[in-house]
Amino acid sequence: MAQRIAVVTSVAGAKVFAELDGEMKDLGRIGSLVKIKTPQSLTFGMIGSAKRAETDHGIKRIIEINLLGEALEFDEAAGTFKFQRGVSYAPNLDEEVFPTVSQDLAQIYSKPKTSNVQVGWLYQDTSLPAYVVTDALLGKHFAVLGTSGSGKSCTVAVILRSVLNALPNGHIVLLDPHDEYSRCFGEKANIITTDNLELPYWFLNFEETVEVLCSGDEAAREMEAAILKDAIYTAKFDYVSKMENPFPLTVDTPTPYRLNRLVEILKEGMGKLDKPESSLPYMRIMARLDSLKKDRRFAFMFSSLVVQDVMPDVLSQILRIPSSDKPITIFNISGVPSEIVDVVVSLLCRTIFDFNLWSPRGGSAPVLLVCEEAHRYIPTDESKGFGPTRKAIARIAKEGRKYGVSLGLVTQRPSELSESILSQCNTLFALRMSNEHDQRFVERAMPENAAGLLASLPALRTQEAIAVGEGVTVPMRIRMNDLDEAHRPHSDTAAFSLAWKEDSLSTDFVRNSIERWRRQKR
């Protein structure tokens, strides 16, 4: 075994404190792995902090070691061992601390025996690959957290590309609010934009319909919602009753109904009123409906002249069933009107969960839903955001595993993300963060034995991440795989230094931009 670097002076639960040997001070770096030999095992830990302490005998250098795992079976002469997470035998006082070598790291971070994919390389030794455990990563939710410019989108692309290369018949739905990912997956991606998006209005449940059709004023909305509820139920009943095999329904049952029939029902209700002022709620709903039908931006939801049950076709396209060599659906929602984008996200999240909920037990197709800019949909403040969207994502976080629906949350503002929902993510990839509030938030979400790695969050380089949780064998600092230029996410940062060198734009550029603006063509 190599020359020792420290001696254990204190033990407190999963933490060990050791005094560095004077001549070995350079080896006590934060984030380094060390090993401690006990009578029963070889124990491994990560240096979490280092400090100087004044004593009667001079200044001592004390390191804090967070225990990670142990080897109960090891061959000291050959340097081989069988690593396992968790520690059953804590080190004793005065036991020696040794540095780990490349051979140790190769065994600790060895390729998992279960299904896995390589996503990068170890920071401590870039010759050693870093793996994630596929089923634990996807089956128990994960999150990618990092400030803007830290390589967050590239990390998401690397993880998903690695998974799809190993599992080419997956079912992934990626919500892309800024059109970043359209080129990341090449021919494997089914790209949906507002040009080819089809989400008929009758896909909406009642809560979402109220958000789209009713007034913002609380008192007016309450009156309109009561009118709308009866009208929608009646319109659905009229449609279902004409089927060969009608079925019981509620106002939330996802079944077609005709807008013309809905308007007829509203007019009939309005005609029964004695006072003209009582008709205002009816008139507001009908005016809103008429406005939406004429607005090109809402064509994906309200333009169809013929009402058909297209739900099987739409869900097959979204969920990639069958995958048909395109296992990932990228929803480019940048072109969806801002006043309805939360409703669309709510509809997608809820529909994906409900589909798997009602699929035959044991026969469902596991689906991964990846939410970019997740803080927009599940903010810390429950009074913000759209309630149904939050409810749909929270339901996936809490119950999705039972029905084969997994969640991937991506955000550059971790502290603005719902802590209760983030806590359901059992694997975290933390990239560079300079905001102290974000760092503290992530620290609460991470296991205690990753404290040594957390100290490096502000200093992480682009393309580096700290990975902890069920998806990795032990906490690790990873340098993510490189992406070809053709597969990198679109950068949302303008290259001023290039664009401002030459006066290359003309008034035609202005005219073209205005034309796209008017026609709502991105």
Side-chain angles (χ1 to χ4, degrees), residues 86-102:
V87 175
S88 51
Y89 298 101
N92 296 317
L93 296 177
D94 299 324
E95 287 182 335
E96 296 176 311
V97 180
F98 298 90
T100 53
V101 295
S102 185

Side-chain angles (χ1 to χ4, degrees), residues 163-428:
V163 168
L164 292 179
N165 286 337
L167 306 170
N169 294 305
H171 308 281
I172 299 176
V173 179
L174 171 59
L175 302 182
D176 183 4
H178 302 302
D179 189 19
E180 290 181 272
Y181 295 94
S182 57
R183 67 179 186 175
C184 291
F185 304 94
E187 295 298 318
K188 292 183 179 180
N190 171 43
I191 310 292
I192 295 182
T193 68
T194 48
D195 291 333
N196 62 353
L197 174 61
E198 185 178 10
L199 286 176
Y201 57 87
W202 54 265
F203 274 42
L204 300 170
N205 66 13
F206 180 65
E207 205 169 5
E208 293 157 353
T209 305
V210 167
E211 180 69 17
V212 175
L213 295 182
C214 295
S215 305
D217 177 72
E218 196 62 38
R221 172 176 291 222
E222 193 172 330
M223 295 176 63
E224 292 165 18
I227 294 167
L228 198 57
K229 186 173 185 178
D230 291 336
I232 289 175
Y233 177 83
T234 303
K236 286 186 175 183
F237 180 82
D238 289 351
Y239 188 92
V240 171
S241 63
K242 296 174 184 176
M243 293 180 174
E244 286 187 18
N245 298 304
F247 46 83
L249 57 80
T250 69
V251 71
D252 285 329
T253 303
T255 188
Y257 65 92
R258 292 184 171 82
L259 280 182
N260 288 344
R261 178 58 184 143
L262 180 65
V263 172
E264 287 175 4
I265 295 166
L266 291 171
K267 288 181 177 178
E268 289 169 6
M270 189 169 60
K272 296 175 183 178
L273 300 174
D274 297 330
K275 298 179 180 179
E277 60 269 21
S278 302
S279 64
L280 284 176
Y282 293 85
M283 294 175 68
R284 283 196 295 262
I285 296 172
M286 289 189 289
R288 175 64 172 161
L289 265 173
D290 186 57
S291 172
L292 291 172
K293 286 193 289 184
K294 292 177 179 177
D295 193 330
R296 288 193 305 273
R297 299 176 304 154
F298 294 86
F300 67 91
M301 189 170 280
F302 290 97
S303 68
S304 180
L305 297 176
V306 180
V307 178
Q308 295 177 320
D309 188 0
V310 296
M311 199 166 197
D313 298 328
V314 173
L315 288 186
S316 292
Q317 182 191 23
I318 293 172
L319 300 176
R320 307 312 305 149
I321 302 174
S323 62
S324 302
D325 297 324
K326 290 181 180 289
I328 180 169
T329 293
I330 298 176
F331 263 96
N332 176 7
I333 54 178
S334 61
V336 175
S338 58
E339 58 264 46
I340 201 176
V341 68
D342 284 341
V343 173
V344 170
V345 173
S346 172
L347 187 160
L348 291 170
C349 296
R350 175 183 54 79
T351 301
I352 290 169
F353 179 85
D354 284 345
F355 176 80
N356 272 39
L357 171 67
W358 293 107
S359 294
R361 279 301 181 101
S364 64
V367 177
L368 169 64
L369 172 66
V370 181
C371 292
E372 256 283 7
E373 298 284 331
H375 59 273
R376 290 171 49 173
Y377 313 119
I378 44 173
T380 304
D381 187 348
E382 295 191 11
S383 65
K384 295 180 180 178
F386 183 46
T389 308
R390 184 188 189 91
K391 189 189 303 180
I393 296 177
R395 196 177 181 197
I396 293 174
K398 293 173 183 175
E399 305 176 47
R401 279 170 277 186
K402 293 186 290 186
Y403 304 106
V405 185
S406 187
L407 189 62
L409 301 178
V410 187
T411 181
Q412 61 183 343
R413 300 176 187 169
S415 58
E416 296 181 19
L417 191 67
S418 167
E419 194 166 357
S420 63
I421 295 177
L422 179 63
S423 67
Q424 303 289 328
C425 296
N426 285 288
T427 305
L428 298 181

Side-chain angles (χ1 to χ4, degrees), residues 446-466:
M446 282 194 171
E448 190 176 0
N449 60 7
L453 290 171
L454 282 173
S456 62
L457 276 179
L460 289 178
R461 293 174 294 183
T462 300
Q463 210 175 338
E464 284 186 352
I466 292 168

Side-chain angles (χ1 to χ4, degrees), residues 453-520:
L453 290 171
L454 282 173
S456 62
L457 276 179
L460 289 178
R461 293 174 294 183
T462 300
Q463 210 175 338
E464 284 186 352
I466 292 168
V468 298
E470 298 290 328
V472 292
T473 50
V474 288
M476 64 176 84
R477 181 170 170 177
I478 302 174
R479 185 192 182 279
M480 305 302 293
N481 284 336
D482 292 323
L483 284 172
D484 294 336
E485 180 65 33
H487 295 142
R488 291 179 189 170
H490 293 288
S491 172
D492 57 1
T493 304
F496 285 80
S497 59
L498 294 176
W500 287 6
K501 276 187 177 179
E502 298 179 8
D503 188 13
S504 59
L505 300 179
S506 66
T507 53
D508 288 339
F509 172 80
V510 179
R511 291 191 186 96
N512 180 260
S513 297
I514 293 173
E515 185 69 12
R516 290 160 63 91
W517 180 5
R518 285 173 175 163
R519 296 184 179 277
Q520 301 293 305

Side-chain angles (χ1 to χ4, degrees), residues 62-80:
I62 305 297
I63 55 173
E64 176 191 340
I65 302 168
N66 299 297
L67 300 181
L68 295 175
E70 64 186 1
L72 299 178
E73 302 173 19
F74 61 95
D75 184 336
E76 187 173 346
T80 58

